[in-house]
C-alpha cells in the first residue's frame, strides 16, 4: 500500500525542514526575562523612586543618576542652582527630537511639570505629590527652563529625573483614557516597537537619540513569572539576564556561561510597632523586640546571606551611614528590658504579662510576599524565646489598607537609595502621621523633626552627614520599627554581557524582576561579546 | 474488571458481623484512611515539634532520625508539618464535602419529589452554576470574600453540590413513582412525612458515596488553591502550601520538601477514591453511577 | 429527516438565553454580595487611595451605586450587551479587549490537549477491551486511579522539571522561543515544540475521566445483544470491538466530552500558570492574585459562554451522528 509510504515521506520532509538551523539570535538583541509585567508604560506611575532610578527606556528626564547615584545631565546640558536652593535653571541640549520626529523644547518640560504640580492628575501620575513644592515653572527661551520652589529643599534636585512627556501629543488629552501609556513616544534611547501582552515587550534603538547610541538594536523583555522557567531560559541562552531569589543561587553557582551578581538594595525590612498601640508605647518593649530577633540567622537562611543587618534605615553603601549603631543579638538583654518594663510571667505559660494582659499580638504579613512571611515566622520563633507570643496573619495587599498599616504590627519594608532625606523625612517626621503609607509607627520626636528639617535645607554636605548620623543613632535607640535586614537583589546574567554596573537599588522590587529599579538600569550601555 | 476486583485479588479480611449490612469486608483503602484520620487527630501527641515555629539553624536538613522527613528552608520539621497538614486537608475536605452533599441532597430531593415548576427552576439553577468552570468560579469566590479556612470550605461546598443534586433528583424521581410511596400518599401521609421516612432513607447510599468521592475532590481542590497561593494562609501547614514553597527547592536537588507532601496528597486521595469505588460497588447496584469515577 | 434535526437544534438553541440570563444574575450576585467596596472593585485599591474624597463620591454617583440592586443589575447588563465589560485596573484596558486578546492561546492549548486526551483514552480503552482480563487491563486500571488522585499542578511541575530543566528536551515556558525564527516552517516547528509539554499535561490531567468513561461505555456495548449475534455469526473479536462496539460507545462519549469542557478550562489555569502560557487561565490567576474584580467577573462570564457554546456544539454533533435523532 502506497498511502502509508506517502505519509511517511511527507513527514520526513517536514521534519527535515524543521530541523534546519533556526535563525540564531541576532547578535544585536538584548533579551531580559522579567517575572512581573508592567501594567502600562507610564513612567510616572509610582510613588516610589524606582521610576527615577531608571526610566522606562522610551523616556528621558532633565537629569539622570549615574553609577554612583549622583545627578548628571540628561536632556539638560548643564544647570544652576541658586545658593538658597530655591531656583533651578536648566539649559537644554539642542537638536533633540521626539521619537515621532517633532522637535523637543522647553515647552514640553513646562507642560510636564505643570501637569505634575497641578494636582489634577494624581490618580494617573501619583508621583505628583512630590512636585507640589514647585511654585513656578517658566520657559526663559526654547532651551532654558527656570523652576522656583516654595522652600529651598536641597534633595529636591533628584526629582528632576522625572520623565518629560510630549506636549504635542498629550495637551488637552484625558490622561486617564489615553492609550499613550500603552504606546509611548519619548526622547529616550529606545523606541517602543511592540507589546504582546503576557508574552513580550519589544523596543528598538532610537536612531535620533541625542546621547551615546546603544550598542545593540533590539531590547526585548519577556514575561515569565515562574523562576524555574526563567532559569531554564537563561541556561539555554534564550535570554541574557534574569532576577532570581537569593536562595536559588546554589542552583546556578556552577552553571557554565552564567555569572551571578548580588546588587545591594536600600530596601529594609522591619516589624512595624505602632507607637499608639499597647505595648509598643514603651520604648523598652520595642528595644527588647529588636534585641530578641536573631537578624544574622534571618539574613543567612531567608536571604542566603545576601544583604546586611539593619539597625537603622541606612546601609553601609550609603554616604551618610553611621557604623556605630550596630548592636548584637542578645535575648538575655531583651528579657532584662522586658522585666524592667514591668512584664512578668506570673502563670508559667511561657508568655509574659503585665496588668493582666498577655504580651501577645498578631503580626500581619502580605500573603503574596514569601520573604515577609518567612520573616514573620522567624520573628515568631525568636520572640517566643523571650516570652512574647505572636500570631502570624496573612492578608492580601487589597486587604491591607493604609489604616491597617498604622494600627497593627506588620512586616513592613521601606528604603530609598537616593538622598537620605528621601523616605526618612516622610517616615519619621511628626507631620506625616496619618498620611497614606508614611510614618506607620506614628513616631513623634521633636529632636528628630528638628534634624530632618534642618538637614534638608542645608547644602553643607558634611553638616548633613552629621545630622543624618545623629538621626540613625536616635532611631537605633528608639526602634520605632524593629529594623531587621537589608536585602540584596540577585541576578544571573550571561557572561558574554559587559557594561554592568552595580549600585544601591530601590525598595519594593521583590524577586521577580520588573522593568525598573533592577540591574538593567543602564541596559543601553550593555553590550554582548 | 473494576478496580475493586484488583483488591479482591490482594486482600480481603472478613470481620465478625459489624451490624452494618453493606460492609462485611475491610479493604486496604479503608485501613489507610482510618490511619490517616488517627494520625490527624493525634498529631499533637505524636510529634512535639510545632509545625509553624522555625529553627533557622536547622534549615534544609535531609531526612534523619531526628527529622524523619527532613526540614524545610525555615528549619521546620517536615514530618510534623505533613502531619498537621493532614489535619487541615482532611478537615477542609470532609467539611466541604459534607456541605456540598447536604446542599445537593436538599436540592435534588425537592426537585425530584415535587417535580414540575420546582424541578425546572432548581435544575436551571444547577445548569447555571455548572456553566462557569469550577476553578474560575472558586478563584472568584475566594477573592471576593476574605481568604481563610472557612470561606474556602464554603466556596468548595457551594461549587460542588450540583452533581449530587442531579443524582439525588433522578433517584428521588424514581422512588416517588414506586408503589410503596403511592400507597403512603393514598393513606393520607403528608409530603414531609414521606420525604423523611420513605424517600430519604433510600437516598442514604448516594449521600455516603457522594461524601466520600467529594472529599477526595475537595482535598485536591484545596491543595491546588493553596499551591497557587489562593487558599489556606501560607504560614499554616497545608500540603498545597508546602508544595508551593518546595518548588524552588527541587531545582537545587532538595527532594524531601516536595516528595512527602506530594505523596501524602496522592495516597490520601487515592485511598478515599478506592473506598468510594468500593462503596459504590457494594451499596449501589445502579449502572448509571458506575460509569462515573 | 432534516426537519427533525433542525427542530432539535432549534430547541437546544432556545434553551440558551435563559441560561445566559441565569449566569449574568449569578455573576452580578457575587459582585453585589461581596464585601468589597464597589468603587475599589471598579478602580483598584491603589488608585482609590490616591484619589481625593470628592472624586470617590463622584465615581460612586457615576456607577449608580446608590440605586437599588435591580436597577444596578439592569444597567450592568445593558453595558455588558453593548460590549462594555468594565475596565481592568491591573491591565489598564477594557476587560473585553484583554480577554479576547488572550483567548486564542487558550483555545490552541485546550483544543490540542482535549484532542490528545480523547485519542489517548480511546486507544487505551481499546487496548483494555482487546485484552480484557489481562495484566495490562489491571495495570492500566491501577494507573488510572493513581492518575485521577494526583493533582494536576504536581504532574505539571514534575514534568516541567524532568523534560525542560533536567533533560532539556522541551522548552519550559511561553508559546514561542524568545528568538522567534522568521521562516515559516522553523517557526511552526518552534511553536509545536512549545505546545507539546503543556498540551500533554492537560491531556494527562483529563485522561482518567475520559478513560473510565469510554472503558465502561465499551464494556456496556459489549454486553448488548447485537454483539452476541455478531460473535455467533463468527466475526473476529477484534472486528467486533473496532467496528461495532467502538462506534456505539463513541456516541455518548461526544456528549461526555461536551460536559467536561468546564473541567478543561479549569485545568488550563494551572497548566498556563506553570508554563507561562499567555491564555485566559493565567489571566484569571493574575486577576485573582491582584484582586482585579472587573476582570474576574468578565472572565466568569466569558468562560461560561465558552462552556455553553461547547455544550451546544457537542449536542449538535451528537444529533448529527445519532441517526435516531434524525429520524425523530
Amino acid at each position: 500500500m502506497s498511502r502509508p509510504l506517502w505519509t511517511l515521506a511527507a513527514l520526513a520532509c517536514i521534519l527535515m525542514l524543521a530541523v534546519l538551523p533556526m535563525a540564531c539570535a541576532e547578535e544585536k538583541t538584548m533579551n531580559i526575562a522579567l517575572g512581573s509585567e508592567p501594567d502600562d508604560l507610564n513612567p510616572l506611575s509610582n510613588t516610589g523612586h524606582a521610576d527615577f532610578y531608571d526610566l522606562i527606556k522610551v523616556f528621558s528626564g532633565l537629569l539622570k543618576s549615574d553609577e554612583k547615584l549622583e545627578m548628571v545631565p540628561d536632556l539638560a546640558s548643564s544647570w544652576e542652582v541658586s545658593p538658597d536652593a530655591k531656583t533651578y535653571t536648566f539649559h537644554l541640549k539642542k537638536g533633540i527630537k521626539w521619537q515621532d520626529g517633532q522637535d523637543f523644547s522647553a515647552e514640553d518640560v513646562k507642560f510636564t511639570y505643570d501637569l505634575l504640580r497641578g494636582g489634577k492628575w494624581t490618580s494617573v501620575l501619583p508621583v505628583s505629590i512630590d512636585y507640589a513644592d514647585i511654585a513656578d515653572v517658566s520657559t526663559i527661551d526654547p532651551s532654558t527652563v527656570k523652576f522656583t520652589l516654595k522652600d529651598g529643599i536641597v534633595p529636591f534636585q533628584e526629582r528632576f529625573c522625572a520623565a518629560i512627556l510630549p506636549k504635542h501629543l498629550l495637551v488637552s488629552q484625558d490622561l486617564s483614557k489615553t492609550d499613550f501609556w500603552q504606546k509611548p513616544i519619548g526622547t529616550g534611547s529606545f523606541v517602543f516597537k511592540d507589546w504582546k501582552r503576557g508574552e513580550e515587550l519589544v523596543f528598538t534603538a532610537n536612531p535620533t537619540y541625542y546621547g551615546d547610541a546603544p550598542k545593540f538594536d533590539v531590547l526585548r523583555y519577556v514575561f515569565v513569572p515562574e523562576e524555574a522557567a526563567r532559569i531554564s531560559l537563561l541556561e539555554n541562552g534564550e535570554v541574557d539576564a534574569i532576577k532570581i531569589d537569593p536562595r536559588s543561587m546554589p542552583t546556578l553557582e556552577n552553571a557554565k556561561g552564567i555569572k551571578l551578581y548580588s546588587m545591594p538594595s536600600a530596601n529594609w525590612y522591619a516589624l512595624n510597632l505602632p507607637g499608639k498601640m499597647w505595648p509598643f508605647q514603651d520604648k523598652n518593649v520595642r528595644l527588647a523586640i529588636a534585641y530578641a530577633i536573631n537578624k544574622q540567622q534571618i539574613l543567612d537562611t531567608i536571604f542566603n546571606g545576601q544583604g546586611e543587618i539593619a539597625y537603622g534605615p541606612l546601609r553601609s553603601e550609603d554616604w551618610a551611614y553611621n557604623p556605630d549603631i550596630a548592636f548584637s543579638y542578645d535575648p538575655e538583654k531583651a528579657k532584662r528590658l522586658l522585666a524592667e518594663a514591668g512584664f512578668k510571667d506570673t502563670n508559667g505559660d511561657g508568655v509574659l504579662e503585665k496588668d493582666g494582659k498577655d504580651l501577645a499580638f498578631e503580626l500581619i504579613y502580605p500573603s503574596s510576599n514569601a520573604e515577609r512571611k518567612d520573616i514573620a515566622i522567624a520573628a515568631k520563633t525568636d520572640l517566643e524565646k523571650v516570652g512574647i507570643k505572636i500570631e502570624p496573619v496573612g492578608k492580601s495587599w487589597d486587604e491591607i489598607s493604609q489604616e491597617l498599616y498604622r494600627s497593627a504590627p506588620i512586616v513592613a519594608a521601606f528604603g530609598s537609595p537616593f538622598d537620605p532625606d528621601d523616605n526618612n523625612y516622610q517616615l519619621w517626621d511628626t507631620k506625616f502621621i496619618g498620611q497614606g503609607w508614611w510614618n506607620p509607627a506614628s513616631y513623634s520626636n521633636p529632636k528628630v523633626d528638628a534634624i530632618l528639617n534642618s538637614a534638608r535645607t542645608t547644602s553643607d554636605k558634611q553638616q548633613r552627614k552629621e545630622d543624618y548620623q545623629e538621626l540613625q543613632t536616635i532611631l537605633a535607640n528608639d526602634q520605632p520599627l524593629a529594623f531587621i535586614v537589608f536585602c540584596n537583589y540577585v541576578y544571573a546574567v550571561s557572561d558574554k554581557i559587559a557594561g554592568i554596573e552595580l549600585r544601591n537599588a530601590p525598595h519594593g522590587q521583590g524577586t521577580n524582576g520588573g522593568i525598573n529599579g533592577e540591574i538593567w538600569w543602564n541596559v543601553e550601555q550593555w553590550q554582548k561579546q | 474488571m473494576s478496580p475493586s476486583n484488583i483488591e479482591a485479588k490482594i486482600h480481603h479480611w472478613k470481620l465478625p458481623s459489624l451490624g452494618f449490612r453493606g460492609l462485611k469486608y475491610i479493604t486496604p483503602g479503608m485501613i489507610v484512611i482510618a490511619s490517616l484520620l488517627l494520625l490527624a487527630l493525634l498529631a499533637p501527641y505524636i510529634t512535639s515539634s510545632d509545625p509553624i515555629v522555625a529553627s533557622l539553624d536547622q534549615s534544609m536538613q535531609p531526612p534523619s532520625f531526628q527529622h524523619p522527613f527532613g526540614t524545610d528552608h525555615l528549619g521546620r520539621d517536615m514530618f510534623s508539618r505533613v502531619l498537621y497538614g493532614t489535619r487541615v486537608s482532611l478537615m477542609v475536605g470532609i467539611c466541604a464535602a459534607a456541605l456540598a452533599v447536604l446542599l445537593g441532597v436538599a436540592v435534588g430531593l425537592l426537585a425530584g419529589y415535587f417535580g414540575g415548576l420546582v424541578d425546572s427552576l432548581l435544575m436551571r439553577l444547577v445548569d447555571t452554576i455548572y456553566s462557569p468552570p469550577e476553578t474560575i468560579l472558586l478563584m472568584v469566590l475566594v477573592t471576593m470574600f476574605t481568604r481563610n479556612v472557612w470561606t474556602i470550605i464554603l466556596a468548595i461546598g457551594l461549587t460542588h453540590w450540583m452533581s449530587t443534586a442531579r443524582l439525588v433528583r433522578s433517584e428521588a424521581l424514581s422512588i416517588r413513582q414506586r408503589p410503596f410511596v403511592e400507597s403512603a400518599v393514598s393513606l393520607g401521609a403528608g409530603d414531609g412525612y414521606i420525604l423523611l421516612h420513605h424517600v430519604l432513607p433510600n437516598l442514604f447510599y448516594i449521600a455516603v458515596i457522594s461524601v466520600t468521592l467529594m472529599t477526595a475532590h475537595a482535598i485536591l481542590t484545596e491543595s491546588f488553591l493553596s499551591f497557587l497561593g489562593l487558599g489556606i494562609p501560607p504560614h499554616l501547614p497545608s500540603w498545597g502550601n508546602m508544595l508551593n514553597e518546595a518548588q524552588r527547592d527541587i531545582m537545587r536537588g532538595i527532594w524531601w520538601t516536595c516528595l512527602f507532601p506530594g505523596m501524602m496528597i496522592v495516597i490520601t486521595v487515592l485511598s478515599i477514591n478506592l473506598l468510594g469505588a468500593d462503596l459504590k460497588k457494594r451499596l449501589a447496584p445502579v449502572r448509571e453511577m458506575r460509569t462515573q469515577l | 429527516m432534516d426537519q427533525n434535526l433542525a427542530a432539535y437544534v432549534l430547541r437546544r438553541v432556545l434553551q440558551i438565553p435563559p441560561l445566559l440570563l441565569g449566569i449574568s444574575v449569578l455573576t452580578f450576585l457575587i459582585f453585589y454580595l461581596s464585601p468589597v467596596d464597589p468603587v475599589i472593585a471598579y478602580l483598584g485599591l491603589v488608585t482609590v487611595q490616591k484619589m481625593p474624597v470628592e472624586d470617590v463620591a463622584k465615581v460612586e454617583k457615576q456607577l449608580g451605586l446608590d440605586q437599588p440592586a435591580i436597577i444596578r443589575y439592569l444597567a450592568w447588563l445593558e453595558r455588558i450587551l453593548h460590549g462594555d465589560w468594565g475596565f481592568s485596573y491591573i491591565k489598564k484596558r477594557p476587560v473585553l479587549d484583554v480577554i479576547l486578546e488572550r483567548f486564542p492561546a487558550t483555545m490552541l492549548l485546550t483544543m490540542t490537549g482535549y484532542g490528545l486526551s480523547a485519542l489517548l483514552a480511546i486507544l487505551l480503552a481499546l487496548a483494555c477491551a482487546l485484552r480484557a482480563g489481562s495484566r495490562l487491563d489491571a495495570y492500566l486500571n491501577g494507573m488510572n486511579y493513581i492518575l485521577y488522585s494526583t493533582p494536576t499542578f504536581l504532574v505539571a511541575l514534575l514534568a516541567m522539571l524532568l523534560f525542560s530543566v533536567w533533560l532539556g528536551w522541551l522548552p519550559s515556558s511561553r508559546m514561542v522561543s524568545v528568538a522567534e525564527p522568521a521562516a515559516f516552517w522553523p517557526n511552526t516547528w518552534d511553536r509545536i515544540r512549545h505546545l507539546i509539554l503543556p498540551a500533554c499535561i492537560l491531556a494527562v490531567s483529563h485522561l482518567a475521566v475520559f478513560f473510565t468513561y469510554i472503558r465502561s461505555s465499551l464494556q456496556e456495548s459489549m454486553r448488548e445483544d447485537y454483539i452476541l449475534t455478531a460473535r455467533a455469526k463468527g466475526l473476529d473479536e477484534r472486528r467486533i470491538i473496532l467496528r461495532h462496539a467502538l462506534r456505539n460507545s463513541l456516541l455518548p462519549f461526544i456528549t461526555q466530552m461536551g460536559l467536561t469542557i468546564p473541567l478543561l478550562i479549569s485545568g488550563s489555569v494551572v497548566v498556563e500558570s506553570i508554563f507561562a502560557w499567555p491564555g485566559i487561565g493565567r489571566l484569571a490567576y493574575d486577576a485573582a492574585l491582584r484582586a482585579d474584580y472587573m476582570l474576574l467577573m468578565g472572565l466568569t462570564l466569558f468562560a461560561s459562554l465558552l462552556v455553553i457554546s461547547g455544550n451546544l456544539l457537542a449536542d449538535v454533533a451528537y444529533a448529527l451522528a445519532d441517526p435516531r435523532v434524525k429520524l425523530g
Side-chain angles (χ1 to χ4, degrees):
Chain A
M1 288 205 277
S2 58
R3 228 191 296 161
L5 268 176
W6 274 115
T7 342
L8 219 62
L11 267 168
C13 282
I14 295 179
L15 274 170
M16 278 200 301
L17 281 168
V19 160
L20 274 174
M22 293 194 271
C24 43
E26 300 153 19
E27 268 293 277
K28 309 276 189 67
T29 314
M30 194 69 68
N31 299 310
I32 300 176
L34 300 182
S36 49
E37 185 176 4
D39 297 331
D40 58 28
L41 298 176
N42 182 345
L44 299 163
S45 63
N46 231 319
T47 45
H49 269 64
D51 290 338
F52 298 156
Y53 194 74
D54 57 326
L55 302 180
I56 296 176
K57 296 299 167 191
V58 175
F59 295 98
S60 38
L62 288 170
L63 303 175
K64 65 179 178 190
S65 52
D66 67 2
E67 68 277 358
K68 298 197 204 55
L69 282 167
E70 280 167 14
M71 295 294 123
V72 296
D74 194 1
L75 282 169
S77 56
S78 64
W79 77 103
E80 292 104 38
V81 188
S82 66
D84 63 356
K86 278 199 200 169
T87 317
Y88 286 79
T89 315
F90 290 92
H91 305 282
L92 305 174
K93 290 183 177 140
K94 304 257 195 317
I96 300 181
K97 286 198 186 296
W98 289 98
Q99 287 156 3
D100 61 355
Q102 298 286 331
D103 286 327
F104 166 81
S105 78
E107 287 299 313
D108 297 302
V109 178
K110 178 169 162 63
F111 169 71
T112 307
Y113 281 92
D114 278 340
L115 277 182
L116 286 171
R117 70 191 184 96
K120 180 168 175 232
W121 294 109
T122 24
S123 51
V124 182
L125 310 170
V127 77
S128 303
I129 311 175
D130 285 341
Y131 294 88
D133 290 317
I134 301 181
D136 181 65
V137 186
S138 49
T139 48
I140 312 267
D141 60 54
S143 48
T144 316
V145 192
K146 182 161 129 187
F147 292 86
T148 317
L149 304 181
K150 293 182 192 144
D151 298 299
I153 303 166
V154 169
F156 193 92
Q157 187 172 252
E158 288 170 344
R159 301 185 202 178
F160 290 111
C161 290
I164 304 295
L165 304 170
K167 176 174 180 180
H168 62 283
L169 291 175
L170 288 177
V171 69
S172 63
Q173 292 277 345
D174 183 347
L175 293 187
S176 59
K177 293 214 189 352
T178 175
D179 67 350
F180 176 78
W181 310 121
Q182 320 288 333
K183 308 190 276 238
I185 304 255
T187 47
S189 45
F190 285 91
V191 179
F192 171 79
K193 175 110 187 292
D194 188 25
W195 190 354
K196 291 202 201 83
R197 302 276 159 172
E199 284 192 64
E200 61 179 29
L201 174 56
V202 185
F203 298 110
T204 50
N206 182 1
T208 57
Y209 184 52
Y210 54 88
D212 293 327
K215 298 188 177 65
F216 52 92
D217 305 314
V218 178
L219 173 61
R220 182 185 280 117
Y221 298 101
V222 291
F223 307 116
V224 186
E226 280 278 312
E227 190 179 271
R230 288 205 293 279
I231 293 180
S232 142
L233 282 175
L234 181 70
E235 280 179 329
N236 60 21
E238 284 187 66
V239 297
D240 304 306
I242 61 172
K243 186 174 192 178
I244 57 174
D245 186 298
R247 292 197 290 241
S248 305
M249 285 173 82
T251 323
L252 288 170
E253 228 136 49
N254 298 315
K256 274 226 272 282
I258 294 177
K259 202 156 164 220
L260 290 175
Y261 293 91
S262 179
M263 188 155 104
S265 94
N267 188 34
W268 47 265
Y269 291 98
L271 301 185
N272 184 31
L273 308 170
K276 299 203 167 131
M277 197 180 134
W278 185 91
F280 307 116
Q281 301 121 330
D282 187 344
K283 174 174 124 157
N284 279 340
V285 175
R286 301 198 304 263
L287 267 177
I289 291 179
Y291 274 101
I293 295 185
N294 190 340
K295 305 181 217 217
Q296 187 63 52
Q297 220 173 42
I298 289 182
L299 184 61
D300 290 335
T301 357
I302 300 178
F303 296 96
N304 199 25
Q306 302 304 308
E308 196 175 286
I309 299 186
Y311 306 100
L314 296 177
R315 69 181 284 171
S316 55
E317 268 79 7
D318 204 297
W319 58 269
Y321 176 65
N322 183 345
D324 301 324
I325 56 174
F327 54 85
S328 30
Y329 168 57
D330 197 342
E332 293 307 314
K333 177 155 184 189
K335 288 189 195 157
R336 280 199 306 273
L337 284 166
L338 288 170
E340 262 175 62
F343 286 89
K344 267 213 276 270
D345 183 11
T346 41
N347 56 7
D349 63 352
V351 181
L352 298 171
E353 300 101 29
K354 180 178 175 186
D355 307 328
K357 278 201 275 197
D358 270 347
L359 190 48
F361 51 89
E362 280 185 355
L363 181 61
I364 301 178
Y365 67 88
S367 40
S368 45
N369 293 67
E371 75 282 2
R372 296 204 207 185
K373 162 187 60 116
D374 288 341
I375 291 178
I377 296 175
K380 174 182 157 83
T381 318
D382 287 337
L383 291 176
E384 259 176 23
K385 296 189 185 131
V386 300
I388 305 179
K389 187 160 134 88
I390 303 190
E391 199 51 58
V393 171
K395 285 195 189 288
S396 57
W397 273 113
D398 53 304
E399 288 175 299
I400 298 179
S401 65
Q402 290 163 352
E403 209 29 75
L404 191 62
Y405 223 73
R406 349 171 221 285
S407 55
I410 198 167
V411 183
F414 291 97
S416 163
F418 292 108
D419 193 287
D421 174 75
D422 186 29
N423 255 233
N424 287 310
Y425 183 61
Q426 296 95 335
L427 283 172
W428 317 121
D429 193 297
T430 311
K431 62 162 143 327
F432 282 92
I433 297 182
Q435 291 214 16
W437 301 107
W438 297 123
N439 204 338
S442 303
Y443 183 66
S444 177
N445 183 331
K447 188 127 209 318
V448 165
D449 288 352
I451 296 178
L452 286 171
N453 280 297
S454 86
R456 69 197 320 236
T457 43
T458 321
S459 25
D460 177 357
K461 195 153 178 186
Q462 186 53 35
Q463 175 62 44
R464 296 188 77 215
K465 183 167 177 175
E466 283 168 15
D467 283 339
Y468 286 112
Q469 288 189 332
E470 197 187 336
L471 172 70
Q472 291 170 72
T473 314
I474 299 178
L475 288 177
N477 280 323
D478 267 351
Q479 299 280 325
L481 283 84
F483 298 97
I484 303 186
V485 289
F486 289 95
C487 66
N488 280 8
Y489 297 146
V490 179
Y491 303 90
V493 184
S494 155
D495 62 2
K496 297 201 195 75
I497 308 279
I500 294 183
E501 293 277 354
L502 298 181
R503 59 177 196 179
N504 209 359
H507 143 76
Q509 306 305 93
T511 52
N512 278 332
I515 199 170
N516 290 102
E518 313 278 9
I519 199 177
W520 35 83
W521 64 273
N522 66 341
V523 70
E524 68 272 11
Q525 292 164 3
W526 288 11
Q527 52 181 337
K528 252 203 263 207
Q529 279 134 8
Chain B
M1 260 216 281
S2 86
S4 309
N5 281 353
I6 304 175
E7 296 182 64
K9 284 194 175 174
I10 308 169
H11 305 286
H12 249 164
W13 294 282
K14 198 169 176 179
L15 268 193
S17 163
L18 288 173
F20 188 99
R21 267 178 301 134
L23 234 53
K24 283 202 205 121
Y25 300 89
I26 292 191
T27 60
M30 280 194 253
I31 296 186
V32 173
I33 296 175
S35 21
L36 281 172
L37 279 169
L38 213 65
L39 282 175
L41 284 171
L42 298 179
Y45 302 101
I46 300 179
T47 160
S48 53
S49 324
D50 187 332
I52 300 185
V53 166
S55 19
L56 296 185
D57 50 336
Q58 298 270 332
S59 144
M60 295 301 195
Q61 305 287 320
S64 63
F65 190 65
Q66 247 185 335
H67 300 285
F69 284 179
T71 61
D72 68 358
H73 68 282
L74 286 179
R76 293 177 292 195
D77 179 30
M78 284 303 292
F79 182 63
S80 56
R81 291 208 90 209
V82 169
L83 218 55
Y84 274 86
T86 315
R87 279 188 153 188
V88 173
S89 297
L90 281 179
M91 182 180 91
V92 172
I94 295 178
C95 289
L99 179 62
V101 169
L102 222 68
L103 273 175
V105 167
V107 170
L109 203 59
L110 291 173
Y113 186 78
F114 290 111
L117 192 62
V118 174
D119 184 19
S120 281
L121 281 174
L122 286 174
M123 282 304 110
R124 286 287 142 263
L125 181 66
V126 167
D127 284 337
T128 310
I129 305 193
Y130 244 141
S131 296
E134 165 194 318
T135 315
I136 296 191
L137 193 57
L138 265 172
M139 294 193 328
V140 171
L141 285 175
V142 151
T143 313
M144 305 292 272
F145 303 88
T146 52
R147 214 177 277 165
N148 58 40
V149 180
W150 299 108
T151 47
I152 292 172
I153 292 178
L154 214 71
I156 299 180
L158 286 173
T159 44
H160 284 79
W161 56 268
M162 296 88 71
S163 51
T164 313
R166 280 199 179 151
L167 282 171
V168 168
R169 172 185 171 269
S170 51
E171 192 65 11
L173 213 63
S174 75
I175 291 181
R176 199 212 342 170
Q177 283 149 2
R178 287 208 205 144
F180 70 90
V181 172
E182 282 186 6
S183 31
V185 169
S186 58
L187 281 174
D191 284 327
Y193 181 83
I194 297 181
L195 277 173
L196 228 58
H197 283 93
H198 293 296
V199 185
L200 210 48
N202 287 300
L203 295 172
F204 182 63
Y205 75 94
I206 297 186
V208 168
I209 297 172
S210 286
V211 166
T212 316
L213 294 174
M214 204 63 74
T215 308
H217 194 74
I219 293 180
L220 279 178
T221 309
E222 179 272 317
S223 72
F224 140 78
L225 276 176
S226 300
F227 175 77
L228 287 182
L230 296 171
I232 310 273
H235 65 277
L236 290 176
S238 142
W239 295 328
N241 279 338
M242 286 184 242
L243 285 169
N244 185 3
E245 290 178 355
Q247 283 179 79
R248 175 175 309 112
D249 299 339
I250 294 197
M251 298 275 297
R252 294 173 48 180
I254 292 173
W255 49 273
W256 56 92
T257 44
C258 184
L259 179 73
F260 297 111
M263 234 171 48
M264 287 303 284
I265 297 182
V266 177
I267 291 177
T268 309
V269 175
L270 183 61
S271 37
I272 298 181
N273 275 327
L274 286 177
L275 177 67
D278 200 46
L279 284 175
K280 234 196 265 181
K281 183 171 203 277
R282 295 183 193 292
L283 299 181
V286 180
R287 247 179 19 174
E288 190 181 286
M289 282 188 73
R290 285 210 188 172
T291 58
Q292 288 146 14
L293 204 57
Chain C
M1 280 203 297
D2 267 353
Q3 247 186 0
N4 275 313
L5 183 61
Y8 177 78
V9 173
L10 192 64
R11 252 183 294 135
R12 264 308 263 113
V13 170
L14 283 178
Q15 282 172 2
I16 294 186
L19 197 57
L20 287 176
L21 205 68
I23 291 171
S24 71
V25 172
L26 178 69
T27 312
F28 181 78
L29 216 62
I30 296 179
F31 198 36
Y32 185 68
L33 291 175
S34 107
V36 172
D37 182 353
V39 182
I40 293 182
Y42 201 66
L43 296 173
L45 182 68
V46 182
T47 316
V48 172
Q49 278 170 348
K50 294 170 191 157
M51 280 169 61
V53 188
E54 322 82 60
D55 283 0
V56 177
K58 254 194 280 169
V59 176
E60 272 183 13
K61 202 97 223 275
Q62 210 183 357
L63 293 175
L65 290 175
D66 44 345
Q67 312 208 305
I70 294 282
I71 310 266
R72 280 176 62 187
Y73 166 67
L74 289 171
W76 173 82
L77 194 61
E78 200 199 332
R79 287 202 295 270
I80 298 281
L81 290 170
H82 278 119
D84 175 12
W85 284 37
F87 196 75
S88 159
Y89 92 89
I90 62 171
K91 299 286 173 196
K92 307 261 196 321
R93 284 184 313 147
V95 167
L96 198 53
D97 291 355
V98 178
I99 295 179
L100 286 176
E101 198 177 49
R102 302 267 212 140
F103 167 60
T106 300
M107 271 293 104
L108 177 63
L109 182 62
T110 46
M111 289 291 104
T112 316
Y114 215 36
L116 274 174
S117 194
L119 201 67
L120 207 58
I122 295 176
L123 287 173
L124 287 174
L126 275 176
C128 276
L130 286 170
R131 284 172 230 244
S134 73
R135 291 182 72 178
L136 176 72
D137 193 9
Y139 185 67
L140 279 178
N141 260 302
M143 287 306 295
N144 190 40
Y145 257 97
I146 296 182
L147 194 64
Y148 188 68
S149 310
T150 313
T152 312
F153 67 83
L154 202 54
V155 178
L157 209 57
L158 292 173
M160 175 167 91
L161 281 167
L162 182 63
F163 293 106
S164 301
V165 181
W166 288 331
L167 289 175
W169 289 352
L170 291 167
S172 66
S173 58
R174 297 163 46 80
M175 271 176 86
V176 74
S177 287
V178 176
E180 197 177 330
F184 178 70
W185 281 116
N187 193 310
T188 313
W189 176 238
D190 188 44
R191 285 176 186 269
I192 291 179
R193 279 185 74 227
H194 280 81
L195 183 57
I196 293 178
L197 203 48
C200 284
I201 302 297
L202 207 54
V204 158
S205 74
H206 229 61
L207 192 57
V209 178
F210 279 168
F211 177 70
T212 314
Y213 190 83
I214 297 197
R215 221 179 121 268
S216 41
S217 184
L218 258 178
Q219 276 179 341
E220 272 186 43
S221 299
M222 298 284 282
R223 285 195 271 257
E224 299 272 330
D225 288 338
Y226 70 89
I227 299 282
L228 276 175
T229 323
R231 278 215 196 102
K233 274 202 205 161
L235 274 177
D236 174 34
E237 185 76 8
R238 239 213 219 154
R239 250 220 175 118
I240 293 177
I241 296 180
L242 286 175
R243 277 254 168 103
H244 300 286
L246 185 62
R247 267 208 205 136
N248 287 303
S249 324
L250 279 186
L251 229 43
F253 184 57
I254 296 179
T255 323
Q256 179 72 346
M257 277 181 82
L259 282 176
T260 48
I261 286 181
L263 282 179
L264 208 64
I265 302 187
S266 283
S268 75
V269 172
V270 170
V271 174
E272 285 182 15
S273 304
I274 292 185
F275 289 99
W277 192 266
I280 58 179
R282 199 172 118 204
L283 191 61
Y285 176 43
D286 284 341
L289 217 49
R290 298 184 55 189
D292 186 344
Y293 303 107
M294 300 299 323
L295 191 51
L296 281 173
M297 289 288 105
L299 280 165
T300 315
L301 273 176
F302 191 78
S304 311
L305 280 173
L306 283 179
V307 168
I308 294 177
S309 350
N311 278 332
L312 180 64
L313 280 171
D315 277 349
V316 170
Y318 186 93
L320 280 170
D322 191 346
R324 287 175 285 184
V325 177
K326 278 198 206 142
L327 296 169

